[in-house]
Amino acid sequence: MEEKPLPAYTEKQQQIISAAERLFASKGFDGTSVREIAQEAGVNLAMISYYFGSKEKLLEAIFDERIIYFRTELESVINDPKIEPLKKVYQLLDKLVDRNFERSCFHRIMIREQIDSPNKNEFIQKMILESKKRTQELVKKIIHEGQEKGVFKKNIDISLMMMTLFGTINQMTTTQHFYQEINGLQHLTTEELQTRLKKKLRIHIKTLFKAILTNEN
Amino acid sequence: MEEKPLPAYTEKQQQIISAAERLFASKGFDGTSVREIAQEAGVNLAMISYYFGSKEKLLEAIFDERIIYFRTELESVINDPKIEPLKKVYQLLDKLVDRNFERSCFHRIMIREQIDSPNKNEFIQKMILESKKRTQELVKKIIHEGQEKGVFKKNIDISLMMMTLFGTINQMTTTQHFYQEINGLQHLTTEELQTRLKKKLRIHIKTLFKAILTNEN
Amino acid sequence: MEEKPLPAYTEKQQQIISAAERLFASKGFDGTSVREIAQEAGVNLAMISYYFGSKEKLLEAIFDERIIYFRTELESVINDPKIEPLKKVYQLLDKLVDRNFERSCFHRIMIREQIDSPNKNEFIQKMILESKKRTQELVKKIIHEGQEKGVFKKNIDISLMMMTLFGTINQMTTTQHFYQEINGLQHLTTEELQTRLKKKLRIHIKTLFKAILTNEN
Amino acid sequence: MEEKPLPAYTEKQQQIISAAERLFASKGFDGTSVREIAQEAGVNLAMISYYFGSKEKLLEAIFDERIIYFRTELESVINDPKIEPLKKVYQLLDKLVDRNFERSCFHRIMIREQIDSPNKNEFIQKMILESKKRTQELVKKIIHEGQEKGVFKKNIDISLMMMTLFGTINQMTTTQHFYQEINGLQHLTTEELQTRLKKKLRIHIKTLFKAILTNEN
DNA sequence: TATGAATGAGCTTTCATTCAT
DNA sequence: GATGAATGAAAGCTCATTCAT
């Protein structure tokens, strides 16, 4: 919770974090062994305990490292009074979509960590909750602004709207390969697919929110 | 439909499936040990390998057992030509929401299994893909019908619409506790929360789809 | 703390207990690895956790198994009113010496476990304490009897006397090889040494106690 | 005597020795990690290997450092021809008791190291053996003197007498907490307990030896 | 001299599975 | 069919030690 003045993690620690992030994303936390992480990161097995203390703490470090990326991004743009509400929403949505594609590994980890279950890591739960609260607060502000200006509908359930927002993005993130398969896009490389999906998703989400928020068509 | 073509699973096997389903849902496949399943099911440890061959095959059995529940449900209603398209969509949506709440354990498992990854169980991947295709086909049919009748908009990207549909439902399923926390509903029991969420979600999804599909407000 | 009606430990468990006892006696608890125990006992490594849960619990099992041997032995003889006090003391002393030689491995373990230290196993500490209390109570009874009959001195500090009693026996148990070296008995086999020591110790302790307890010479 | 023949150990080395001594005393050699010692001593982990070569050599260094304390102490007093034998014995006993309480940590280590075992550190075994021989020689001298003067009994088994002597002292050193518990002295601080025990032990041992050595009461 | 980083071997324990009955 | 015993492999982690600076 304290702000870290220094980059905090050394290069080798970054290597480990990055390797772990990739593996946790694709095989899950429990499905990934510390040995695999060490191998993927090209470091000695014992280094992981040496640097992070435990596998659990390594996961926390990943959150600690990546979640910063979450906070800083959004707020700046939103507080510009000149931009009109819908544009602000659009900007916000684009950012959310972008960051999901840019940090897709981390997002996949986070999606898994969100799944309801009793004995989840508390530290991480709190981080996610805090992040959700922040974003929701932000969204609420813009929408209220739009409502006051008469641009947006009244009676918008923001929590449910967030469900749709993050639900759609997460669904895209997690089920790309199904999308690819169903739509006969097996010929595309992963990168091509990603580019296409990002473009489509950006438009889709904006269309969706225009429909949810305004009365225009 | 009522007759089961195969003797299916004995009572003891059902016990195991049911116990495994609960545990896989809350702790993940890799986070659950066969010992735990045996204990939760009240059966001997060796029975699980004995009956199902392996932990992996047990997971497949869960899918095998529950996915039927998926197929049968939807189609019947949809083929009624008297019901108008939007009503049909509404009925479909309600069913999807309901089955998600009714079989929330299995859905949580499925959500996890959908998360992109190279070395996932192929059998299950195919099951999920097939199920997705079926549902998408169904939805496509209704929507085309609505489009032909001039009730629905043209140019609807069904795949993305599905992302929003399942994304929203899944997001609700997996992040109930965050919703509860953020909205200050800690005083509700799990059951009360579920009832409330289901009601809200049903409305939300329908409103959403009306906005997506039609030009009315 | 509950009495076990059955022999409790299977043959294989006995093998493990016995092997562990030998190793713990000679190398200490922390100095012995579970692997060594498994090898010495000729069982699979995993069996030890399977049967006893952990290395710690195995140590407890050793105490559980051997400490019985402690309780039963002594009391019977002492309650005979016909035997005169000094004879009773002699009998008791002989028994104590004998059991130390018979179960010398276990005694060495117990000596180590008695050494003052903060994070010792509580279960074992309690067992040892209880055993010490019992024995002290027993000794107290005989001595009081002797004092009432005017055979023993007044003003005997029983606790300190016990220190001398068990101190001497334990010292013998733990430092046999030094005794052997110092007294030029390297030519004796372990067995021969033991026999000689036992005989000597029996006499020594009795002489000692006669001197402590009575006024005769 | 005040000049140290070798530069011996630097201050930092002394810190390490002292920390290790405390930890080995309470947790045993194998139960103590080099990391703990470094932390307790407030020095860098690598310093320990750097200074002493290995954990084993550190233990040897402790013996090397502390055993001097053993040798020098006793002999001086004993060679005074004016003091009568029993007084000499008394002085010796008091010294032995005192040094045990003063260097109780080191004594606990030594007690552990004495416990029979094939693969013990030879260097240390030799040190202990040599120390035992010296002390025994000393005792022998005084006793022979007393026997010649007709003050002490003939036929005294000195080795066994030593067993009783060190056995009693060691027993007190290692099982103080049991003594405290059994005699209902939980209200005493460690220091108060020690003071009381030392006083009692001094008297007890002397009484004991008077009884062993002489014919008086 | 002093130290943070690094290492390979080892630790205890648990895993999914199979065996013998 | 049903089960307690058994197994080899692997898990996460800590160990004493050494390296590079």
Side-chain angles (χ1 to χ4, degrees):
Chain A
M1 299 295 166
E2 295 158 27
E3 278 191 74
K4 298 209 172 157
L6 289 170
Y9 295 109
T10 67
E11 202 181 338
K12 209 147 223 177
Q13 284 172 311
Q14 294 281 5
Q15 270 174 54
I16 295 168
I17 285 179
S18 166
E21 190 182 38
R22 258 170 288 138
L23 287 165
F24 288 163
S26 85
K27 313 178 69 176
F29 179 78
D30 291 310
T32 305
S33 79
V34 178
R35 275 180 173 80
E36 283 176 291
I37 298 168
Q39 196 167 24
E40 173 88 1
V43 302
N44 184 284
L45 167 65
M47 288 309 315
I48 289 168
S49 290
Y50 177 69
Y51 277 133
F52 299 98
S54 69
K55 192 184 168 188
E56 188 97 17
K57 296 273 185 200
L58 170 56
L59 180 61
E60 292 179 15
I62 293 174
F63 271 82
D64 193 44
E65 176 72 359
R66 300 292 187 235
I67 213 114
I68 299 166
Y69 181 81
F70 268 61
R71 298 206 199 110
T72 50
E73 209 63 34
L74 305 174
E75 289 158 25
S76 60
V77 194
I78 274 71
N79 287 323
D80 188 335
K82 281 171 272 176
I83 310 171
E84 59 163 324
L86 192 59
K87 277 270 146 64
K88 276 192 188 176
V89 170
Y90 283 176
Q91 278 187 24
L92 182 70
L93 295 175
D94 279 347
K95 290 220 159 147
L96 288 173
V97 170
D98 287 0
R99 88 173 182 198
N100 221 282
F101 277 90
E102 274 157 30
R103 290 280 176 203
S104 68
C105 276
F106 177 62
H107 273 87
R108 266 193 303 240
I109 295 174
M110 214 177 57
I111 290 164
R112 267 197 254 253
E113 285 302 313
Q114 282 177 60
I115 299 180
D116 262 328
S117 96
N119 12 22
K120 282 272 163 189
N121 182 308
E122 269 194 51
F123 172 82
I124 289 172
Q125 291 293 302
K126 275 189 187 156
M127 275 197 159
I128 296 176
L129 180 60
E130 199 207 356
S131 167
K132 279 186 183 296
K133 277 184 180 165
R134 276 169 170 270
T135 313
Q136 178 145 335
E137 222 46 56
L138 222 73
V139 171
K140 200 184 274 180
K141 224 194 274 176
I142 310 177
I143 288 177
H144 285 339
E145 198 189 315
Q147 288 174 326
E148 278 163 21
K149 291 194 179 169
V151 188
F152 294 165
K153 291 184 201 167
K154 306 276 169 199
N155 298 328
I156 290 163
D157 185 324
I158 290 172
S159 261
L160 285 177
M161 209 187 70
M162 302 290 281
M163 291 273 176
T164 293
L165 171 55
F166 288 112
T168 304
I169 297 176
N170 288 346
Q171 190 72 6
M172 178 106 278
T173 307
T174 54
T175 63
Q176 291 176 22
H177 56 310
F178 289 114
Y179 181 94
Q180 189 172 21
E181 191 83 21
I182 289 175
N183 295 285
L185 302 170
Q186 292 88 339
H187 60 282
L188 297 181
T189 65
T190 308
E191 225 164 288
E192 290 168 343
L193 181 68
Q194 297 256 25
T195 314
R196 175 189 288 231
L197 284 178
K198 194 159 125 184
K199 204 187 290 177
K200 275 185 170 275
L201 186 57
R202 275 164 155 258
I203 297 167
H204 174 66
I205 293 266
K206 280 185 271 190
T207 314
L208 199 60
F209 267 73
K210 195 181 172 195
I212 296 175
L213 294 171
T214 73
N215 289 307
E216 319 165 41
N217 290 302
Chain B
M1 292 279 175
E2 287 165 16
E3 251 192 303
K4 294 201 177 168
L6 287 170
Y9 296 107
T10 68
E11 202 181 336
K12 216 154 217 178
Q13 284 172 313
Q14 294 282 3
Q15 272 174 52
I16 294 168
I17 285 178
S18 168
E21 190 183 38
R22 258 171 286 140
L23 288 166
F24 288 163
S26 84
K27 313 178 68 174
F29 180 77
D30 291 309
T32 304
S33 77
V34 176
R35 269 185 169 73
E36 284 176 290
I37 298 167
Q39 195 170 23
E40 174 89 0
V43 303
N44 183 281
L45 170 63
M47 292 303 341
I48 290 168
S49 291
Y50 181 70
Y51 276 138
F52 299 96
S54 72
K55 192 185 170 187
E56 190 97 18
K57 296 272 185 202
L58 169 57
L59 180 61
E60 294 178 13
I62 294 174
F63 272 82
D64 193 43
E65 177 72 1
R66 299 294 187 234
I67 213 107
I68 298 166
Y69 178 82
F70 268 61
R71 299 205 200 110
T72 49
E73 212 60 41
L74 304 174
E75 289 158 22
S76 59
V77 196
I78 274 72
N79 288 322
D80 187 334
K82 282 172 271 175
I83 309 170
E84 58 163 324
L86 191 60
K87 276 272 148 64
K88 276 191 187 175
V89 171
Y90 282 177
Q91 277 186 25
L92 181 70
L93 295 174
D94 279 345
K95 289 220 160 147
L96 288 173
V97 170
D98 288 358
R99 88 173 181 198
N100 221 283
F101 278 90
E102 275 157 30
R103 289 281 176 199
S104 67
C105 277
F106 177 63
H107 273 88
R108 274 203 291 255
I109 296 173
M110 215 176 59
I111 290 164
R112 269 197 250 252
E113 287 300 315
Q114 281 178 60
I115 299 180
D116 259 326
S117 108
N119 30 14
K120 280 272 164 190
N121 183 306
E122 271 193 49
F123 173 82
I124 289 172
Q125 292 293 304
K126 278 190 186 153
M127 273 196 161
I128 295 175
L129 180 61
E130 196 208 357
S131 166
K132 279 187 184 295
K133 277 183 179 164
R134 277 169 169 271
T135 314
Q136 179 146 333
E137 223 45 56
L138 222 73
V139 172
K140 199 183 276 180
K141 224 193 273 176
I142 310 177
I143 288 175
H144 285 339
E145 197 188 317
Q147 288 174 327
E148 278 162 21
K149 291 193 179 171
V151 189
F152 294 165
K153 291 184 200 165
K154 305 278 169 194
N155 297 329
I156 290 164
D157 186 324
I158 290 173
S159 261
L160 284 177
M161 208 186 71
M162 301 292 279
M163 291 272 177
T164 294
L165 171 56
F166 288 114
T168 303
I169 297 175
N170 288 346
Q171 190 73 5
M172 178 107 280
T173 307
T174 54
T175 63
Q176 290 177 22
H177 56 309
F178 288 113
Y179 181 94
Q180 189 171 21
E181 190 83 20
I182 289 175
N183 294 287
L185 302 172
Q186 292 87 341
H187 60 281
L188 296 181
T189 64
T190 307
E191 226 165 288
E192 289 168 344
L193 181 68
Q194 299 256 24
T195 314
R196 176 189 286 230
L197 286 178
K198 194 160 127 182
K199 205 188 287 179
K200 275 186 169 275
L201 187 58
R202 274 163 155 257
I203 296 167
H204 174 67
I205 293 265
K206 279 184 272 189
T207 314
L208 199 62
F209 269 73
K210 197 183 171 191
I212 295 174
L213 294 172
T214 74
N215 290 306
E216 317 166 42
N217 289 302
Chain C
M1 300 292 163
E2 294 158 28
E3 278 191 74
K4 299 210 172 160
L6 289 170
Y9 296 109
T10 67
E11 202 182 338
K12 209 147 223 177
Q13 284 172 310
Q14 295 280 6
Q15 270 175 53
I16 295 169
I17 285 178
S18 167
E21 191 181 37
R22 259 170 286 140
L23 287 165
F24 288 163
S26 83
K27 313 179 69 174
F29 179 78
D30 291 311
T32 304
S33 78
V34 178
R35 272 183 174 78
E36 284 176 291
I37 298 168
Q39 195 168 24
E40 173 88 2
V43 303
N44 183 284
L45 167 64
M47 288 310 314
I48 289 168
S49 290
Y50 178 69
Y51 277 133
F52 299 97
S54 70
K55 192 184 169 188
E56 188 97 16
K57 296 273 184 200
L58 170 56
L59 180 61
E60 293 179 16
I62 293 175
F63 271 82
D64 193 43
E65 176 73 359
R66 300 293 187 234
I67 213 111
I68 299 166
Y69 181 81
F70 268 60
R71 298 206 197 109
T72 49
E73 209 64 33
L74 305 173
E75 288 158 25
S76 58
V77 195
I78 274 72
N79 287 322
D80 188 334
K82 282 172 270 175
I83 309 170
E84 57 163 328
L86 192 59
K87 277 270 148 62
K88 276 190 187 176
V89 171
Y90 283 177
Q91 278 186 25
L92 182 70
L93 295 175
D94 279 345
K95 289 217 160 149
L96 288 173
V97 170
D98 288 359
R99 88 174 181 196
N100 222 283
F101 278 89
E102 275 157 29
R103 291 279 176 204
S104 67
C105 277
F106 177 62
H107 275 87
R108 267 192 304 237
I109 295 174
M110 214 175 60
I111 290 164
R112 267 196 253 253
E113 286 300 314
Q114 282 178 61
I115 298 180
D116 262 329
S117 98
N119 14 23
K120 281 272 163 188
N121 183 307
E122 269 194 50
F123 173 82
I124 288 172
Q125 291 293 302
K126 276 189 187 155
M127 273 196 161
I128 295 176
L129 180 60
E130 197 207 357
S131 167
K132 278 186 184 297
K133 278 184 179 164
R134 276 168 170 269
T135 313
Q136 179 146 335
E137 222 46 55
L138 222 72
V139 172
K140 200 183 273 179
K141 224 192 276 176
I142 310 178
I143 289 176
H144 285 340
E145 197 189 315
Q147 288 173 326
E148 277 164 23
K149 293 193 178 170
V151 189
F152 294 164
K153 291 186 201 165
K154 306 277 169 197
N155 298 328
I156 290 164
D157 186 324
I158 291 172
S159 262
L160 284 176
M161 208 186 71
M162 302 291 281
M163 291 273 176
T164 294
L165 171 54
F166 288 113
T168 304
I169 297 176
N170 288 345
Q171 191 73 5
M172 178 106 279
T173 307
T174 55
T175 63
Q176 290 177 22
H177 55 309
F178 289 113
Y179 180 95
Q180 189 171 21
E181 191 83 21
I182 289 175
N183 294 286
L185 302 171
Q186 293 87 341
H187 60 282
L188 296 181
T189 65
T190 308
E191 226 164 288
E192 290 169 343
L193 181 68
Q194 299 256 22
T195 314
R196 175 189 288 230
L197 286 178
K198 193 159 127 184
K199 205 188 288 179
K200 275 185 169 276
L201 186 58
R202 275 164 154 256
I203 296 167
H204 173 66
I205 293 265
K206 279 185 271 191
T207 313
L208 200 61
F209 268 73
K210 195 181 171 193
I212 295 174
L213 293 172
T214 74
N215 290 306
E216 318 166 42
N217 290 300
Chain D
M1 292 280 172
E2 286 164 18
E3 251 192 304
K4 292 201 178 170
L6 286 171
Y9 298 107
T10 68
E11 201 181 339
K12 215 154 218 178
Q13 285 172 313
Q14 293 282 4
Q15 271 175 52
I16 294 168
I17 286 179
S18 167
E21 190 183 38
R22 258 171 287 139
L23 287 165
F24 289 162
S26 85
K27 313 177 68 174
F29 178 78
D30 292 310
T32 304
S33 77
V34 177
R35 268 186 169 72
E36 283 175 292
I37 297 167
Q39 194 170 24
E40 174 89 0
V43 302
N44 183 282
L45 169 64
M47 292 303 342
I48 290 169
S49 291
Y50 180 69
Y51 275 138
F52 299 96
S54 72
K55 191 184 171 188
E56 189 97 16
K57 296 274 185 201
L58 170 57
L59 180 62
E60 293 178 14
I62 293 175
F63 271 82
D64 193 44
E65 176 72 1
R66 299 292 186 235
I67 213 106
I68 299 166
Y69 178 82
F70 267 61
R71 299 203 200 112
T72 51
E73 210 61 40
L74 304 174
E75 289 159 21
S76 60
V77 195
I78 273 71
N79 288 323
D80 188 335
K82 283 172 269 174
I83 309 170
E84 60 162 325
L86 192 59
K87 277 271 147 64
K88 277 190 188 175
V89 171
Y90 283 177
Q91 278 185 26
L92 181 70
L93 295 175
D94 279 346
K95 288 219 160 145
L96 289 173
V97 171
D98 288 359
R99 89 174 180 195
N100 221 283
F101 277 89
E102 275 156 30
R103 290 280 175 200
S104 67
C105 277
F106 177 63
H107 273 88
R108 273 203 292 254
I109 295 174
M110 216 176 57
I111 290 164
R112 269 196 251 252
E113 287 301 315
Q114 281 177 60
I115 299 180
D116 258 328
S117 107
N119 30 15
K120 279 272 163 188
N121 183 307
E122 269 193 51
F123 173 82
I124 288 172
Q125 293 293 304
K126 276 190 187 154
M127 274 195 160
I128 295 175
L129 180 60
E130 196 207 357
S131 167
K132 278 186 184 295
K133 277 183 179 165
R134 278 169 169 270
T135 313
Q136 178 145 335
E137 222 47 54
L138 222 73
V139 171
K140 200 183 275 180
K141 224 193 275 177
I142 311 176
I143 288 175
H144 285 338
E145 197 188 316
Q147 287 173 326
E148 277 163 22
K149 291 193 179 172
V151 189
F152 294 165
K153 292 184 201 167
K154 306 276 168 196
N155 297 329
I156 290 164
D157 186 324
I158 291 172
S159 262
L160 284 177
M161 209 187 69
M162 302 291 281
M163 291 272 174
T164 294
L165 172 54
F166 289 113
T168 303
I169 297 176
N170 288 345
Q171 190 74 3
M172 177 108 281
T173 306
T174 53
T175 63
Q176 290 177 22
H177 58 307
F178 288 113
Y179 180 94
Q180 190 172 20
E181 190 83 21
I182 289 175
N183 294 288
L185 301 172
Q186 293 87 342
H187 59 282
L188 297 181
T189 64
T190 308
E191 227 165 287
E192 289 169 343
L193 181 69
Q194 299 255 25
T195 313
R196 175 189 287 229
L197 286 179
K198 194 159 123 182
K199 203 188 290 178
K200 273 185 171 273
L201 187 56
R202 275 164 153 257
I203 297 167
H204 173 67
I205 294 267
K206 280 184 272 189
T207 314
L208 199 61
F209 268 74
K210 196 181 171 195
I212 296 174
L213 294 172
T214 76
N215 290 306
E216 317 166 43
N217 289 301

